[in-house]
Amino acid sequence: AEELKIIARHGVSVSNVDLKAATEKGIIVTHTPSANAEAVADFTIGLMLSIARHIPEAHASTIRGRWESRKFVGSDVNGKVLGIIGLGTIGTIVAKRVKGFNMRVIYYSRTRKRHLEEELGVEYVDLDTLLREADFVTLHVDLTEETRGMIGERELSLMKRTAYLINTARGPVVDEAALYKALKNCWIAGAAVDVYGVEPPGMDYPLFKLDNVVV
């Protein structure tokens, strides 16, 4: 693309752009970090409610003519602990949203955000503490060499058996084989994801075979 002058990425990340090649060709790379932040935060809350209250499964059951209300009681969100990994633009909005659920919010981020701790009433903890204490863990980090596979078998084993993982960040941030193992063996209660290692995922994607996941 010899005439290309600029690559403008709609979204928070430039992880799908070959920055080295762009730099070598003198191509400017930009992004729009706040363009869809509100929408992603809303969607994160939607996934949290969906996985906790089994809304997709209850819908599928009901339209098939079944009445299985006891099967889909689910878990409360009110008063629970939310662990946010990555308190950037989206993570901050999520923290504001869940105050309406009376949730205690803890967070882990590469840099501590003391001004947000005071403003939002959130608590900074290390990653292992967050995983051990949170009832819901939501990921809001970019994909870098540091974050690739940051949630693997060891990290999932630290979570409560009643906890849920939500990933609206980037697929490779979570080791998908480890997540499948954790869900299959009930190390955690469930997961909700809308990002994958390969997109779109094939019909043989392992998580599609499980009942305790919303995709």
Side-chain angles (χ1 to χ4, degrees):
E2 298 300 328
E3 301 300 316
L4 186 61
K5 301 297 182 186
I6 184 169
I7 298 170
R9 171 78 171 85
H10 173 64
V12 70
S13 173
V14 293
S15 59
N16 60 347
V17 178
D18 188 335
L19 296 178
K20 183 173 183 293
T23 300
E24 290 171 352
K25 287 180 170 286
I27 300 167
I28 296 169
V29 178
T30 69
H31 65 146
T32 54
S34 299
N36 63 345
E38 298 281 354
V40 175
D42 287 349
F43 189 55
T44 299
I45 302 302
L47 288 177
M48 180 173 69
L49 292 170
S50 292
I51 191 66
R53 308 302 316 198
H54 307 305
I55 294 171
E57 301 99 309
H59 167 82
S61 169
T62 304
I63 64 173
R64 286 174 174 78
R66 300 170 186 165
W67 192 252
E68 303 175 293
S69 56
R70 293 185 180 182
K71 184 178 179 181
F72 303 117
V73 172
S75 304
D76 286 340
V77 172
N78 184 63
K80 295 295 178 66
V81 179
L82 176 67
I84 300 176
I85 300 177
L87 198 66
T89 303
I90 297 170
T92 299
I93 298 171
V94 169
K96 292 177 181 178
R97 293 277 197 279
V98 301
K99 287 301 179 181
F101 292 108
N102 302 308
M103 299 185 88
R104 174 189 168 213
V105 179
I106 57 179
Y107 81 96
Y108 168 76
S109 194
R110 185 173 54 186
T111 55
R112 186 169 178 176
K113 312 292 178 67
R114 294 182 184 274
H115 64 293
L116 290 176
E117 291 172 29
E118 184 174 345
E119 179 185 336
L120 302 176
V122 298
E123 306 167 41
Y124 175 79
V125 295
D126 60 62
L127 182 59
D128 285 3
T129 299
L130 182 147
L131 294 168
R132 289 192 183 100
E133 294 188 5
D135 298 299
F136 298 88
V137 174
T138 181
L139 298 167
H140 300 289
V141 296
D142 197 4
L143 178 62
T144 65
E145 288 309 307
E146 182 183 354
T147 62
R148 185 180 296 274
M150 73 179 298
I151 303 299
E153 192 167 315
R154 188 191 79 84
E155 289 74 23
L156 290 163
S157 69
L158 295 175
M159 293 174 64
K160 299 177 182 179
R161 294 181 70 88
T162 54
Y164 297 93
L165 179 73
I166 303 165
N167 186 12
T168 58
R170 294 291 179 272
V173 170
V174 177
D175 181 332
E176 291 177 318
L179 178 59
Y180 175 83
K181 183 177 181 180
L183 292 166
K184 181 76 172 175
N185 295 313
C186 297
W187 295 356
I188 61 176
V193 300
D194 85 319
V195 285
Y196 311 90
V198 175
E199 297 181 346
M203 290 304 297
D204 59 345
Y205 185 62
L207 294 186
F208 291 170
K209 301 177 176 65
L210 300 175
D211 293 331
N212 54 346
V213 63
V214 172
V215 291

